């Protein structure tokens, strides 16, 4: 009896074989109309035979034909979960509420909601903006920040909400074109990502932030080293407003990358300045410098070669002491970057190993707070503008980042949603269903550049209008006036705390003052940091 039950797993395969035989006989003896079912069951029978003899999948060997249903349902599991199971607040990684907000603002349709909040306002982690009984009406919501310190000859008047780094190659040509044309319409900046400047970045005419990664794409020698002449030629373009040196990104900090030769098209090769037919390597570390002092000198070189345009760097905070090494190098060399972009580990349009995405890097809130207070402690916060990136898609997200010390915010996935991304999470497969993250020309054809560029501009405009309303509700004149005390957070089910009790601003110059207390162990880290090496000083 047990043996018969065990053999029951072959029941579907046996049924298919019997039906194939039956329909084959009916075809020969009765009617050619039986050819179709005979063919179908014949294919299934051959599939079952192959399942029995193949050695890669144990399920198929034990459950021929039937086992394929398991792989089918596994394949559509993300879609089933996204459309039928997850709630509006489940962050996978963006909630349906967040995505719907972007879609509505990008399309210019009503984004109000009736019947009150769906959020659990008494659960730990809930946060809100404190409002005033004397709100302010703000009419001009084109909020801007001037980036460039005393050594910058061409400061840039940037929007406080811009497109974060996404390379051509990771995004399609149509997506890059739509983003850049939208940036042009809305007069905000578009970060190129580390993949170089493609013709799709240039055709739109939108302001560009030229990101330079460890592969030095667009400004490299044949051996992959930094080429100052090529960089100078690239940076001379009026369209390029700022230069950003990428140390790390939130998706996979401390991890390099490789674009296989099979995925390198002629256009990607031209944008990156690499040959066809060879794998393209992005090292984990830069070759142009190895110490904090050399890094500052390299930034100074980029500033000179670009004709005095704002230069800065982007990083996801790892060893806090290493960032302090950079700050000490700023003080020692007198070369202070115009800006720093803090990327949180929750950010990331690029595909990354699961361990890196989940467990490497500091979240944006803590990273931004640390960078802001370290610069304050060193007495140079007024010389450096701070950008923040990491799941910033709503007016509240921007207000919170500005309250914690940011001067402006960047968003990658928010603007991806604006051009049609549905969070299918197939970015690394080249099978993006909406043509955003693919190099397949037939797939990216679905993305209409003219329509989606208008959505990009509309999303930016409507988000800043919402930010203006939130700023006015708090009784403030400009979003830059937000401070930690304007934020409240629930720490547990029965207690709440004001933002400056958790993310307060530390005193100016405290790291340089021997008499000041050691806040959060920062002075201990500062003592172990050295300007001429990233190795800890003991």
């Amino acid at each position: 009896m047990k043996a018969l039950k065990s053999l029951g797993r072959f029941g579907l395969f046996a049924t298919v074989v019997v039906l194939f035989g039956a329909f084959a006989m009916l075809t020969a003896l009765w009617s050619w109309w039986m050819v179709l079912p005979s063919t179908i069951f014949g294919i299934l029978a051959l599939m079952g035979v192959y399942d029995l003899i193949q050695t890669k999948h144990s399920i198929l060997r034990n459950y021929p034909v039937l086992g394929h249903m398991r792989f089918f349902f596994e394949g559509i599991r993300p879609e089933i979960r996204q459309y039928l199971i997850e709630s509006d607040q489940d962050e996978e990684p963006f909630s349906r509420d967040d995505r719907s907000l972007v879609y509505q603002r990008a399309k210019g349709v009503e984004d109000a909601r009736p019947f009150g909040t769906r959020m659990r306002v008494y659960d730990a982690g809930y946060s809100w903006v404190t409002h005033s009984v004397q709100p302010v009406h703000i009419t001009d919501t084109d909020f801007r920040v001037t980036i460039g310190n005393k050594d910058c000859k061409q400061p840039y008047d940037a929007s406080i909400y811009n497109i974060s780094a996404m390379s051509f190659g990771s995004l399609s040509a149509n997506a890059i074109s739509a983003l850049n044309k939208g940036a042009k319409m809305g007069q905000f900046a578009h970060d190129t990502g580390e993949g170089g400047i493609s013709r799709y970045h240039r055709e739109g005419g939108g302001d560009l932030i030229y990101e330079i990664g460890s592969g030095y794409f667009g400004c490299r020698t044949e051996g992959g080293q930094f080429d100052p002449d090529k960089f100078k030629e690239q940076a001379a373009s009026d369209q390029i407003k700022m230069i950003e040196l990428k140390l790390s990104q939130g998706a996979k900090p401390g991890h390099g990358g490789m674009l296989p030769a099979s995925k390198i098209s002629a256009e990607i090769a031209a944008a990156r300045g690499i040959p066809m037919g060879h794998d393209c390597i992005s090292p984990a570390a830069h070759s142009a410098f190895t110490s904090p002092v050399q890094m500052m000198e390299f930034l100074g070189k980029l500033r000179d070669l670009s004709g005095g345009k704002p230069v800065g760097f982007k990083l996801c905070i790892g060893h806090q002491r290493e960032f302090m090494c950079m700050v000490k190098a700023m003080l020692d060399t007198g070369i202070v970057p115009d800006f720093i972009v803090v990327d949180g580990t929750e950010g990331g349009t690029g595909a990354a190993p699961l361990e890196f995405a989940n467990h490497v890097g500091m979240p944006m809130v803590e990273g931004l707070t640390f960078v802001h207070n370290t610069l304050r402690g060193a007495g140079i916060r007024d010389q450096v503008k701070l950008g923040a990136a990491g799941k910033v898609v709503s007016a509240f997200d921007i207000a919170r980042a500005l309250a914690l010390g940011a001067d402006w915010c960047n968003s990658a996935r928010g603007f991806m949603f604006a051009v049609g991304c549905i969070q299918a999470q197939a970015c690394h497969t080249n099978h993006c269903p909406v043509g955003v993250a693919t190099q397949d020309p037939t797939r990216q054809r679905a993305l209409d550049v003219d329509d989606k560029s208008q959505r990009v501009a509309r999303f930016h405009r409507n988000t800043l209008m919402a930010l203006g309303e939130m700023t006015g509700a708090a009784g403030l004149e400009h979003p830059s006036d937000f401070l930690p005390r304007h934020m409240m957070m629930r720490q547990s089910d029965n207690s709440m705390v004001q933002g400056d009790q958790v993310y307060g601003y530390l005193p100016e110059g405290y790291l340089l003052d021997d008499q000041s207390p050691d806040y959060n162990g920062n002075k201990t880290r500062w003592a172990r940091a050295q300007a001429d090496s990233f190795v800890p000083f003991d």
Side-chain angles (χ1 to χ4, degrees):
M1 193 66 178
K2 288 183 178 180
L4 288 175
K5 286 184 178 181
S6 178
L7 291 174
R9 64 183 186 273
F10 297 104
L12 181 60
F13 174 52
T15 301
V16 165
V17 172
V18 170
L19 288 173
F20 166 64
F23 280 109
M25 291 180 62
L26 288 173
T27 300
L29 300 176
W30 181 44
S31 171
W32 284 101
W33 287 103
M34 298 296 105
V35 168
L36 180 59
S38 176
T39 302
I40 293 173
F41 286 111
I43 292 172
L44 291 174
L46 289 174
M47 180 189 296
V49 172
Y50 176 77
D51 291 343
L52 289 171
I53 62 176
Q54 58 83 36
T55 57
K56 291 184 178 180
H57 300 288
S58 300
I59 287 179
L60 297 181
R61 284 173 69 89
N62 274 333
Y63 298 89
V65 183
L66 181 63
H68 288 278
M69 295 184 66
R70 185 261 186 191
F71 294 105
F72 170 75
F73 285 114
E74 185 180 59
I76 64 171
R77 179 181 180 274
E79 288 76 16
I80 293 296
R81 179 175 178 82
Q82 179 176 351
Y83 293 115
L84 300 179
I85 299 176
E86 73 177 33
S87 77
D88 289 342
Q89 283 79 44
D90 285 344
E91 298 186 0
E92 297 286 345
F94 281 84
S95 69
R96 181 171 292 277
D97 274 352
D98 285 339
R99 300 197 307 273
S100 296
L101 181 67
V102 176
Y103 298 148
Q104 288 163 345
R105 287 182 174 162
K107 295 175 183 178
V109 301
E110 179 64 62
D111 61 359
R113 168 174 289 172
F115 227 66
T117 180
R118 298 177 188 174
M119 301 191 73
R120 302 174 67 89
V121 299
Y122 293 102
D123 284 1
Y126 176 72
S127 56
W128 65 96
V129 170
T130 58
H131 66 279
S132 171
V133 295
Q134 292 186 311
V136 175
H137 179 62
I138 299 175
T139 56
D140 182 6
T141 58
D142 183 26
F143 304 120
R144 300 205 162 260
V145 56
T146 300
I147 303 172
N149 58 34
K150 61 181 178 60
D151 295 320
C152 176
K153 298 178 182 177
Q154 301 184 54
Y156 177 51
D157 196 27
S159 170
I160 64 169
Y161 194 45
N162 302 289
I163 303 172
S164 197
M166 294 179 285
S167 302
F168 170 57
S170 59
L171 295 193
S172 69
N174 285 15
I176 294 293
S177 293
L179 289 170
N180 196 257
K181 288 184 178 180
K184 175 68 172 179
M185 294 177 193
Q187 296 300 299
F188 54 98
H190 179 193
D191 194 312
T192 65
E194 66 174 306
I197 307 171
S198 70
R199 69 183 180 92
Y200 304 104
H201 289 99
R202 298 187 188 278
E203 288 172 355
D207 292 349
L208 293 176
I209 301 171
Y210 181 21
E211 183 179 85
I212 302 171
S214 56
Y216 306 112
F217 299 125
C219 57
R220 60 188 263 138
T221 64
E222 290 186 4
Q225 306 300 305
F226 176 72
D227 187 321
D229 294 329
K230 288 182 179 178
F231 170 78
K232 184 176 182 179
E233 182 182 352
Q234 291 270 36
S237 169
D238 289 338
Q239 195 177 353
I240 296 175
K241 303 301 183 182
M242 301 203 299
I243 312 298
E244 178 182 274
L245 181 70
K246 191 198 91 168
L247 301 183
S248 56
Q249 65 185 91
K252 45 184 176 181
H255 190 280
M258 190 268 286
L259 185 65
S262 60
K263 291 187 177 181
I264 300 175
S265 67
E267 289 184 319
I268 292 174
R272 298 192 175 208
I274 56 175
M276 296 281 290
H278 299 277
D279 293 339
C280 178
I281 305 297
S282 296
H286 280 265
S287 59
F289 55 87
T290 57
S291 72
V293 165
Q294 290 177 357
M295 176 183 162
M296 295 309 128
E297 292 172 344
F298 184 63
L299 287 172
K301 184 178 182 180
L302 295 179
R303 181 185 279 148
D304 292 339
L305 290 170
S306 68
K309 292 181 179 180
V311 298
F313 60 91
K314 180 181 82 172
L315 82 169
C316 177
I317 294 296
H319 295 320
Q320 293 165 284
R321 173 194 50 78
E322 289 185 345
F323 179 74
M324 289 183 165
C325 290
M326 300 175 202
V327 176
K328 280 195 169 182
M330 296 175 200
L331 298 177
D332 282 10
T333 62
I335 303 172
V336 180
D338 299 290
F339 67 91
I340 297 171
V341 176
V342 181
D343 201 5
T345 191
E346 68 269 42
T349 53
L354 186 63
E355 295 87 351
F356 275 78
N358 287 347
H359 301 294
V360 181
M362 187 177 290
M364 185 265 285
V365 168
E366 286 75 16
L368 174 61
T369 302
F370 169 73
V371 169
H372 172 65
N373 280 323
T374 299
L375 294 173
R376 284 177 62 87
I380 58 173
R381 176 63 183 88
D382 61 330
Q383 301 179 49
V384 184
K385 291 295 191 293
L386 286 184
K391 296 185 75 172
V392 180
V393 298
S394 71
F396 175 76
D397 296 333
I398 299 173
R400 180 182 64 168
L402 298 180
L404 298 180
D407 294 293
W408 88 90
C409 293
N410 293 335
S411 176
R413 289 171 292 183
F415 284 98
M416 283 180 68
F417 292 142
V419 294
C421 170
I422 61 170
Q423 195 170 272
Q425 300 183 62
C427 309
H428 59 299
T429 66
N430 207 34
H431 296 151
C432 174
V434 290
V436 176
T438 178
Q439 296 306 306
D440 184 336
T442 60
R443 287 178 178 271
Q444 63 176 290
R445 178 181 173 276
L447 195 159
D448 183 82
V449 173
D450 291 336
D451 176 64
K452 295 302 191 289
S453 61
Q454 293 178 34
R455 291 192 183 190
V456 168
R458 202 179 292 122
F459 166 63
H460 176 268
R461 182 176 65 252
N462 288 336
T463 300
L464 290 192
M465 287 176 62
L467 178 62
E469 292 178 343
M470 182 170 282
T471 302
L476 306 176
E477 300 284 348
H478 193 278
S480 61
D481 297 331
F482 274 112
L483 293 170
R485 67 170 178 264
H486 295 116
M487 299 287 156
M488 296 291 292
M489 287 157 276
R490 189 173 293 284
Q491 287 190 314
S492 62
D493 291 347
N494 60 357
S495 69
M496 61 185 184
V497 64
Q498 196 164 278
D500 55 4
Q501 294 177 257
V502 183
Y503 302 113
Y505 292 3
L506 298 182
E508 286 278 355
Y510 78 92
L511 289 173
L512 309 179
D513 182 3
D514 293 338
Q515 304 304 314
S516 67
D518 186 3
Y519 299 96
N520 305 318
N522 283 346
K523 293 191 74 172
T524 302
R525 296 186 189 92
W526 183 258
R528 297 180 67 237
Q530 49 185 336
D532 57 357
S533 175
F534 285 110
V535 176
F537 176 75
D538 190 353

